[in-house]
Amino acid sequence: MKFANDKDFMASLRELFAKSGRFARAAQQVLKVIELAERKTKVEEVFQGLVTTNHGESRVQHCTKYDLMGACRLVTVQHDGICLFLFTGSHDDCDEWLERNKGKRFHLKSSQQGRVIESTRVTEDISNPSRRLTTTSDLAPGMLWEKLPARYFQVLCEGLEPDYVDQLKSLTSIVSDDELVDLALLAPDERRDVLYDTFDLLKGGQVQEAKGRVDQYKGTVLPLSDAAASDIIEAVSGDEVVLMGDVDKELFEHFVKTASFEKWMMYLHPGQREFAKKDFNGPTKLTGVSGSGKTSVLIHRAIRLARVYAGEKVLVLTLNRALSKLIKDLVHAALGSDAPENLEIKSFWELCKDKLASVEPQNKLIYSDKTVATNEFAISEHIDDIWAEYYERRNNNADAKVLWPLHKTLLARGIYPADYVRQEFDYLRSALAPSEREQYLSLEREGRAIPLEERYRQSVIAGLAAWEKKMSVVGAVDYLGLTTALYKHIDKLTPEYRSILVDEMQDFGTVELKIIRRLVAPGQNDIFLCGDTAQSVLTKYHKLSDANIDVVGRSHSIVKNYRNSREILLAASQLFDRNRAVFAGATNIEILNPEFANFSSPPPLLLEAESLQGELAHALGHLKSRMEELGAARTKACIAVCGFSQAELEDLASQVGLQVLTGETNVVAGKVFLSDLEQTKGFEFDSMIILNCSTVAIPHPLLPAEESYRELCKLYVAMTRGKTELIVSYSKGPSSFIERVTDCFTEGSWSDYSSAMTLHVTKFRSARFSAEPVLQNETLDADAVLMFPEAAGLSTSAQDKLIQLVPGINRFRGRKQLTWKRFDGCYDALKNSPSLQSINSVSEGVWTELDALHKRISLRQTEPVKPTREILSLKSRPIGK
């Protein structure tokens, strides 16, 4: 006799245990039954001590119910060599479940894994309301027939009159049972039941069951009632029914007894399970669509390998520190003290810090992304602030002057140099170690759209050296700086792990991959890489072959999405499909077509507010109402903000009292989080709200359009974090990415959907969304002006003239002023005296540019930076080879 769990059983057992008292005692009886099912083969041995209920059960075929303590019940299906655990709960809970699943029948269906057990519901008598299906509508938009794959709908319509098919195509989720019955009765006798059942199931969003109902009608599946003992023996676990032998016993019991633990950690679907259990003879790569459970596979695989290699260390490695902490919390929740002691879970940041502590103990305090406060009055600085100080040459630090020629030519291209150069530093450090950087002069910069002549590449190398020196002096380091520091000692690194499993592998650069390769010896199950190239969000050089990691013949993929509703995943998938043009400059990006999950939700919302602050106020008001309505337990939410750096988000979060997704965030315990787009990767939330998805924020208007695919990937990542609710928000016009998929959203105004919370935000601190007046700044000379995003698009001749006229010093020749201390003073003088323009050789074209620049800076207090038509037209100009 085989024993297996149906899809609702585990959650019902957990809920029964969570009720405590007599209900928990009943749950313990069920756990005892499960324990016996692991080692007994006869039904009477497994259910010893339990008696069947007095009344039989006709609502589910082959159903047997058992009495438990406290008037509780255990519902099973038993037939010819198999026993399926369906549901357990109080008498009323079981009765409600049976009514919802009236007509449930199981069958065997062939799949890639083998014959799996699935179910559907079947009407016994269409003319009798008590014996036909009655599915509650999910109120999803669109036509029901479009939810079915075309081949299934063709089977239903074969031989039917075109007018009748048109009536079927007109059905929506609000069709009444009576209307559906009347329409089904117009079909031939043998087609009535299957037509009614299929569309009734589609009405409730039960697409998988609807397909199963058509399969039963076609005869392409084997009903369990017709299956022989040999057929049962061949059965394997599927998405709906999981055989007892495929359940991790320790995880199962912890799940039942820990109501807060995430369900997805418990069961692996068949498409996932093989990768958790299979041994591979060398490095292996598993790619999968968002929501396909890659992280879950990795966790289960890591636990298994840690147990197999009990005397050796196994490492789970992530790039994102917050994700690393989440995995630690989930493993602890799942296994508690039973977690393998040899299993380590770290972010790459933590790994580098640990290794550096052993080889450079004297520099322990340097390796942080914030400076260390030297006394109680000192304020630690974030690495983003240190970058701004370095690049803008503040506090008498001129080290970045070497980048000035590159800065000017990028400005002329309409590009914001501070962001582009920082990305280029990351690209260089991810590709080459410090000792190898001369190779950068001839490196094929895959994925970078702006060609750089050798002189500019030389300045990048010199500028990067100065940036690394700056970080060392102030006592802080950015992420890739930490990697670079460790790589200097790569010859000292030795294989200390039996296996390393890497999550989100597409965001690891070649240098990081080389370090990973050194820490594990080649062999069976040595490296397991998990990820999705369509979620590549960082500017890095990534080549497995350069790191001596060969996955040829060991690359696999999974495409079934289990996380998102059909409506959310459709919007995210269409975001990629309709913006494919931006991938023209991308390399090594593979977009997998996902299979949809088997549940629906309302369509995602696209909402507008008057300002970014209004967006945030309404988002918080919406979540407050949602928590009051659904309860905090069902409202884990994230608010992601486009166009903000981590430091800027932390500043905003401190003003509104929210947690930011960082390496210290307890995601399991928390409820509402603030994040940028990329930090959301690897998480899932009941509600996902994306703010500032505006034309001025994403894609970055002052970076190359040819590289905007990374920002599209970030937006896709954030959208697919939402399980059942997604809201995309904007002000001042929606992003061009979103404009192409508005039909996948319900559009409206925030004010129509929620009340705004009162916020006490003094400022939105952002390089591109600042509301600070700057024209009266005492140090607003030419160099300072040319650091502003507003200066992007200024021609080289206009820049040179600005530098000549505004060096930061007032100089005169007699009564005639030659140079100015501040830009506003120079502008006013030239505007009021056209003759002065002539005297200072300011051409009409240059004056037009300076006048437009002054206007853009003047708007800084009320408007975020946005590109002008002139700036956009400049983006096609080459600046080198």
Side-chain angles (χ1 to χ4, degrees):
M1 175 70 74
K2 279 191 172 183
F3 295 89
N5 299 333
D6 194 26
K7 57 185 178 182
D8 292 339
F9 175 69
M10 182 177 65
S12 70
L13 180 56
R14 185 184 69 175
E15 290 177 13
L16 186 64
F17 186 88
K19 290 181 179 180
S20 302
R22 60 189 177 92
F23 300 105
R25 290 193 291 275
Q28 290 286 6
Q29 284 184 284
V30 178
L31 286 172
K32 178 65 176 177
V33 169
I34 293 170
E35 180 188 346
L36 291 171
E38 295 169 8
R39 48 193 179 87
K40 302 290 185 180
T41 57
K42 295 181 179 180
V43 171
E44 57 270 22
E45 294 177 326
V46 171
F47 292 96
Q48 60 179 315
L50 299 184
V51 297
T52 57
T53 56
N54 292 328
H55 303 286
E57 182 53 65
S58 60
R59 287 172 286 186
V60 174
Q61 196 177 46
H62 304 301
C63 183
T64 301
K65 294 188 298 186
Y66 292 91
D67 283 324
L68 302 173
M69 295 178 181
C72 294
R73 303 285 187 271
L74 172 60
V75 183
T76 70
V77 158
Q78 299 176 21
H79 174 74
D80 211 10
I82 192 162
C83 173
L84 307 177
F85 295 95
L86 305 187
F87 192 85
T88 186
S90 68
H91 176 278
D92 290 344
D93 289 341
C94 288
D95 193 65
E96 287 180 16
W97 184 89
L98 286 163
E99 191 61 28
R100 289 196 309 271
N101 289 272
K102 180 172 56 180
K104 192 177 185 73
R105 295 184 184 179
F106 289 90
H107 55 256
L108 292 168
K109 181 178 181 177
S110 297
S111 71
Q112 291 183 342
Q113 290 76 36
R115 275 187 163 180
V116 298
I117 302 174
E118 294 183 350
S119 68
T120 188
R121 286 176 287 151
V122 178
T123 286
E124 298 288 345
D125 183 355
I126 195 172
S127 62
N128 185 343
S130 66
R131 301 187 66 192
R132 70 173 180 241
L133 304 190
T134 52
T135 305
T136 302
S137 172
D138 65 357
L139 301 178
M143 302 303 170
L144 296 181
W145 75 277
E146 293 177 335
K147 295 183 179 182
L148 274 179
R151 65 183 184 278
Y152 282 87
F153 187 66
Q154 289 170 2
V155 169
L156 288 175
C157 297
E158 187 176 349
L160 298 178
E161 294 294 327
D163 288 347
Y164 186 79
V165 174
D166 288 342
Q167 291 185 68
L168 293 177
K169 286 186 173 182
S170 70
L171 296 176
T172 67
S173 61
I174 61 173
V175 63
S176 69
D177 288 345
D178 289 340
E179 289 174 310
L180 199 50
V181 168
D182 291 344
L183 184 57
L185 290 175
L186 296 176
D189 291 349
E190 75 281 358
R191 200 81 59 89
R192 291 174 178 176
D193 287 353
V194 67
L195 282 170
Y196 174 84
D197 290 350
T198 301
F199 281 92
D200 185 71
L201 291 165
L202 290 173
K203 180 177 73 172
Q206 303 301 318
V207 178
Q208 193 66 30
E209 284 194 64
K211 290 163 61 178
R213 183 66 179 92
V214 179
D215 285 333
Q216 284 198 357
Y217 168 74
K218 288 192 302 181
T220 55
V221 296
L222 178 63
L224 195 60
S225 56
D226 297 339
S230 58
D231 298 316
I232 301 297
I233 291 173
E234 294 177 2
V236 298
S237 294
D239 284 356
E240 296 185 32
V241 176
V242 181
L243 298 176
M244 265 320 171
D246 290 330
V247 178
D248 188 305
K249 309 306 183 299
E250 295 179 21
L251 288 177
F252 181 88
E253 189 161 348
H254 275 286
F255 173 76
V256 171
K257 295 180 178 180
T258 310
S260 63
F261 189 58
E262 301 290 348
K263 180 177 180 179
W264 62 264
M265 266 292 291
M266 295 307 306
Y267 281 145
L268 289 174
H269 297 278
Q272 303 167 337
R273 188 174 297 109
E274 64 172 304
F275 300 112
K277 292 191 170 186
K278 187 176 180 180
D279 291 320
F280 296 99
N281 189 29
T284 303
K285 182 174 73 171
L286 176 65
T287 58
V289 299
S290 180
S292 59
K294 300 182 295 295
T295 299
S296 181
V297 169
L298 182 139
I299 292 171
H300 282 267
R301 182 173 179 82
I303 292 171
R304 181 182 76 84
L305 293 178
R307 289 171 175 164
V308 170
Y309 306 124
E312 302 171 89
K313 293 194 296 183
V314 172
L315 174 66
V316 170
L317 201 58
T318 72
L319 200 63
N320 185 318
R321 281 184 277 176
L323 179 56
S324 170
K325 187 176 190 312
L326 173 65
I327 293 175
K328 289 178 186 177
D329 293 340
L330 291 175
V331 171
H332 176 75
L335 299 178
S337 59
D338 294 328
E341 293 184 1
N342 60 325
L343 176 61
E344 296 182 11
I345 301 167
K346 294 181 178 181
S347 68
F348 198 77
W349 174 275
E350 293 171 302
L351 177 70
C352 288
K353 286 193 69 172
D354 290 346
K355 295 302 166 199
L356 283 166
S358 62
V359 295
E360 296 182 13
Q362 73 280 7
N363 290 328
K364 182 177 180 180
L365 293 180
I366 292 178
Y367 297 123
S368 170
D369 58 355
K370 292 183 180 179
T371 58
V372 179
T374 54
N375 58 62
E376 62 179 314
F377 303 106
I379 300 174
S380 63
E381 291 182 277
H382 195 281
I383 195 69
D384 292 342
D385 299 318
I386 300 168
W387 167 259
E389 181 181 283
Y390 159 77
Y391 191 81
E392 296 175 16
R393 308 197 302 274
R394 301 175 191 169
N395 301 328
N396 299 316
N397 183 339
D399 289 346
K401 189 73 173 179
V402 68
L403 295 165
W404 194 240
L406 175 59
H407 180 95
K408 290 175 62 182
T409 197
L410 288 172
L411 280 181
R413 279 285 304 246
I415 292 171
Y416 183 40
D419 286 354
Y420 192 83
V421 172
R422 192 175 184 184
Q423 289 179 2
E424 189 68 17
F425 281 4
D426 286 350
Y427 191 86
L428 171 53
R429 287 184 293 172
S430 68
L432 300 166
S435 60
E436 304 166 336
R437 286 180 183 167
E438 285 301 309
Q439 298 175 31
Y440 171 68
L441 299 178
S442 58
L443 181 71
E444 186 75 24
R445 296 164 58 250
E446 295 180 359
R448 296 296 272 167
I450 303 300
L452 297 179
E453 295 177 1
E454 182 173 326
R455 58 182 173 133
Y456 294 129
R457 297 195 187 202
Q458 290 280 15
S459 68
V460 169
I461 294 173
L464 175 54
W467 168 232
E468 291 172 334
K469 178 182 177 183
K470 167 73 173 178
M471 288 188 287
S472 176
V473 169
V474 301
V477 70
D478 63 355
Y479 159 68
L480 275 167
L482 201 64
T483 304
T484 300
L486 179 59
Y487 194 85
K488 294 176 183 177
H489 305 283
I490 194 165
D491 291 338
K492 299 178 184 178
L493 301 180
T494 58
E496 61 179 276
Y497 293 100
R498 178 58 182 79
S499 301
I500 297 180
L501 301 93
V502 182
D503 201 12
E504 305 295 355
M505 59 85 185
Q506 72 278 355
D507 288 332
F508 282 76
T510 299
V511 170
E512 295 127 296
L513 293 169
K514 287 180 178 179
I515 291 173
I516 292 170
R517 178 70 278 181
R518 293 281 296 194
L519 292 173
V520 57
Q524 188 180 57
N525 300 327
D526 55 349
I527 296 176
F528 186 78
L529 305 170
C530 242
D532 177 10
T533 56
Q535 297 184 51
S536 300
V537 300
L538 301 178
T539 310
K540 286 187 174 181
Y541 181 88
H542 171 93
K543 272 196 175 180
L544 296 178
S545 57
D546 285 2
N548 197 28
I549 297 176
D550 181 9
V551 296
V552 174
R554 293 183 297 275
S555 294
H556 310 273
S557 62
I558 45 180
V559 296
K560 180 67 177 288
N561 175 286
Y562 297 99
R563 175 197 299 136
N564 310 110
S565 71
R566 294 178 60 84
E567 291 72 17
I568 290 175
L569 186 58
L570 176 64
S573 300
Q574 289 300 306
L575 183 78
F576 268 159
D577 287 344
R578 300 183 195 177
N579 287 281
R580 280 186 179 271
V582 306
F583 287 99
T587 57
N588 302 319
I589 298 289
E590 178 187 11
I591 300 176
L592 302 172
N593 293 319
E595 293 180 14
F596 290 91
N598 190 39
F599 69 96
S600 293
S601 71
L605 295 173
L606 178 60
L607 302 180
E608 182 179 12
E610 292 185 357
S611 65
L612 176 54
Q613 186 158 339
E615 292 180 55
L616 179 58
H618 278 289
L620 292 172
H622 169 76
L623 291 176
K624 181 176 183 293
S625 298
R626 186 174 172 87
M627 285 186 178
E628 292 171 352
E629 177 185 351
L630 300 178
R634 296 175 59 189
T635 318
K636 190 181 290 292
C638 180
I639 299 173
V641 186
C642 302
F644 273 54
S645 71
Q646 189 72 10
E648 292 161 355
L649 282 170
E650 290 178 13
D651 183 52
L652 177 59
S654 67
Q655 297 180 71
V656 296
L658 289 179
Q659 286 184 282
V660 180
L661 283 181
T662 68
E664 287 72 48
T665 307
N666 188 337
V667 179
V668 173
K671 293 302 175 188
V672 180
F673 306 92
L674 195 67
S675 178
D676 62 8
L677 299 183
E678 64 191 68
Q679 291 294 323
T680 63
K681 184 181 293 188
F683 298 98
E684 60 179 49
F685 302 95
D686 301 299
S687 295
M688 185 73 212
I689 302 178
I690 303 173
L691 305 184
N692 204 31
C693 197
S694 305
T695 184
V696 296
I698 183 170
H700 194 313
L702 303 177
L703 287 180
E706 299 90 338
E707 295 187 36
S708 64
Y709 66 88
R710 295 189 186 92
E711 292 182 272
L712 182 64
C713 289
K714 291 179 184 180
L715 183 57
Y716 170 82
V717 165
M719 287 173 63
T720 54
R721 301 308 99 188
K723 294 190 289 185
T724 57
E725 183 182 55
L726 170 65
I727 300 176
V728 175
S729 169
Y730 68 93
S731 56
K732 315 297 184 187
S735 163
S736 59
F737 292 154
I738 292 295
E739 281 186 320
R740 298 185 179 100
V741 291
T742 53
D743 59 310
C744 297
F745 291 80
T746 297
E747 296 186 73
S749 170
W750 265 115
S751 58
D752 295 331
Y753 281 86
S754 77
S755 299
M757 286 186 65
T758 301
L759 298 182
H760 301 287
V761 179
T762 57
K763 64 175 180 176
F764 279 94
R765 173 178 173 266
S766 172
R768 285 190 285 140
F769 302 92
S770 174
E772 298 179 16
V774 295
L775 284 172
Q776 289 73 41
N777 192 312
E778 285 294 320
T779 59
L780 197 64
D781 59 11
D783 283 6
V785 169
L786 293 179
M787 288 296 174
F788 288 163
E790 289 88 350
L794 206 62
S795 68
T796 302
S797 57
Q799 293 179 53
D800 289 342
K801 182 56 66 176
L802 183 64
I803 293 169
Q804 174 192 330
L805 295 174
V806 193
I809 300 173
N810 290 319
R811 292 174 52 208
F812 298 86
R813 179 181 297 161
R815 299 180 61 184
K816 183 175 69 175
Q817 187 163 0
L818 302 178
T819 66
W820 284 262
K821 181 177 182 179
R822 298 200 311 261
F823 176 50
D824 62 326
C826 175
Y827 173 82
D828 290 341
L830 294 178
K831 182 179 180 181
N832 295 329
S833 177
S835 62
L836 198 57
Q837 296 180 28
S838 177
I839 292 171
N840 286 282
S841 302
V842 179
S843 69
E844 182 179 351
V846 166
W847 170 248
T848 300
E849 289 192 63
L850 295 179
D851 182 49
L853 173 63
H854 187 273
K855 287 182 172 63
R856 291 198 294 273
I857 296 177
S858 298
L859 287 172
R860 175 177 277 257
Q861 291 177 249
T862 57
E863 296 283 345
V865 177
K866 53 186 175 182
T868 63
R869 183 167 298 176
E870 290 78 12
I871 290 175
L872 292 175
S873 68
L874 287 166
K875 287 192 175 182
S876 61
R877 299 180 186 172
I879 62 172
K881 298 178 180 179

